[in-house]
């Protein structure tokens, strides 16, 4: 167990009626089916138009131009989109529960800023130019910032407000550093320009292999945190009364969110709004129970990310629009809508 509380007292939402549980389970199957359809579309549709017969030929033949395009590029891109989307959505759901703020996303705690600043440093001062090289810098930057936010937020006495304030302050400082370095170094600006918008187009088997273990660990820890985070969401006093270990739960939540978002950012660049939109939408039909929110966010977030990636390929053919731009264009209006609806509900 991740909390020191007996099962009878573990803070969970009231059991849903049988009919609602059936709907939730069926919804998971529908979500998986939708994810499979989007994944197939990601393989079948690209910036370069290929007939479905050629795509099929490329899938089941080991050599040739079609195999290089379909297997070498599109499948790697799709797999990375599945992993990164799940990581961003799951980390967003965990952070929203941790901060008790439904408008929080992975960028709130400075994780994206830490990864970006580390990559700029690697390119400018260490001469790192390959994705396989600066993936580790990005992940290390995210981890360092996550630990720093936890320390500045009060460590064992951390509260949602302190964590959010610490993350915001560190993000502002790091983005200032990032902009200063890129302005002073034209080479760094040229190399970083593509990475900072967020993209799946550089996906390779090597990149997937490097980040997959971190994503697996972060996913398992996050899913196991569903029950203790339900307690945290009820408020500190209530959580303590129910026997929840607040410090342990918050530390593990910070760790899992940092691992997930750091690894996804390292592989794809900072992709915004996925961790905000999907958990918020999921909560509208699952209710506040994280035992349902986290699995749904894990499945539906890749649907959004891969769908946005496919849309970016279709819009700008024969070139493509990077997925980070598409999610930002979609996410901006959605964020405004959510803020306005939240303000209306508070009036």
């Amino acid at each position: 167990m991740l909390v020191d509380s007996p099962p009878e007292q573990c803070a969970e939402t009231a059991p849903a009626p049988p009919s609602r549980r059936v709907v939730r389970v069926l919804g998971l199957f529908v979500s998986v089916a939708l994810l499979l359809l989007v994944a197939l579309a990601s393989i079948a549709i690209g910036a370069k138009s290929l007939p479905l017969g050629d795509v099929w030929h490329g899938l089941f033949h080991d050599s040739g131009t079609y195999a290089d395009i379909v297997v070498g590029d599109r499948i790697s891109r799709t797999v990375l989109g599945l992993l990164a989307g799940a990581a961003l959505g799951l980390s967003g759901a965990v952070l929203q529960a941790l901060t008790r703020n439904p408008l929080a996303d992975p960028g709130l705690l400075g994780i994206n800023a830490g990864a970006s600043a580390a990559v700029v440093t690697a390119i400018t001062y260490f001469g790192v130019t390959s994705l396989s090289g600066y993936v580790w810098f990005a992940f290390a930057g995210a981890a360092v910032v996550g630990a720093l936010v936890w320390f500045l937020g009060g460590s064992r006495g951390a509260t949602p407000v302190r964590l959010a304030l610490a993350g915001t302050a560190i993000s502002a400082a790091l983005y200032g550093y990032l902009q200063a370095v890129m302005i002073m170094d034209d080479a760094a600006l040229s190399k970083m320009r593509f990475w900072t918008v967020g993209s799946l187009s550089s996906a390779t088997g090597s990149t997937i292999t490097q980040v997959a273990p971190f994503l697996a660990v972060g996913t398992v820890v996050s899913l196991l945190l569903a029950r203790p985070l339900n307690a945290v969401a009820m408020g500190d006093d209530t959580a303590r009364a129910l026997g929840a270990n607040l410090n342990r739960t918050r530390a593990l939540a910070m760790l899992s969110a940092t691992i997930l978002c750091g690894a996804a950012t390292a592989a794809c660049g900072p992709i915004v709004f996925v961790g905000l939109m999907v958990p918020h939408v999921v909560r509208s039909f699952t209710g506040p129970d994280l035992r349902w929110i986290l699995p749904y966010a894990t499945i539906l977030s890749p649907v959004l990310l891969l769908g946005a990636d496919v849309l970016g390929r279709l819009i700008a053919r024969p070139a493509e629009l990077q997925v980070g731009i598409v999610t930002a264009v979609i996410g901006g209006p959605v964020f405004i809508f959510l803020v306005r609806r939240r303000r209306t509900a508070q009036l």
Side-chain angles (χ1 to χ4, degrees), residues 3-6 9 238-246:
V3 289
D4 299 330
S5 57
Q9 294 181 341
T238 302
R240 290 192 187 97
L242 292 168
N245 188 323
L246 291 177

Side-chain angles (χ1 to χ4, degrees), residues 298-310:
T298 303
I299 297 170
L300 291 178
S301 295
V303 172
L304 173 61
L305 188 61
L306 286 177
D309 191 42
V310 171

Side-chain angles (χ1 to χ4, degrees), residues 126-201:
F126 296 99
V128 178
T129 58
S130 66
L131 178 64
S132 60
Y134 61 64
V135 126
W136 296 103
F137 282 89
F139 185 78
V144 169
V145 168
L148 185 59
V149 168
W150 176 249
F151 174 76
L152 294 178
S155 188
R156 293 179 63 85
T159 64
V161 173
R162 288 180 179 177
L163 291 173
L165 289 175
T168 301
I170 292 174
S171 293
L174 288 178
Y175 278 125
Y177 163 78
L178 188 152
Q179 295 299 324
V181 172
M182 291 174 67
I183 288 173
M184 292 186 296
D185 189 331
D186 291 338
L189 175 60
S190 176
K191 294 170 185 174
M192 281 293 298
R193 184 170 50 194
F194 181 77
W195 186 83
T196 52
V197 298
S199 173
L200 298 176
S201 61

Side-chain angles (χ1 to χ4, degrees), residues 87-88 91 95 106-107 111-112 115 142 215 256-266:
L88 292 172
S91 62
L95 291 176
I111 298 171
N112 284 347
L215 295 176
S256 65
T258 298
I259 291 174
L260 289 170
C261 187
T265 303

Side-chain angles (χ1 to χ4, degrees), residues 321-335:
L321 198 60
Q322 304 306 320
V323 67
I325 298 174
V326 179
T327 58
V329 171
I330 297 173
V334 172
F335 183 75

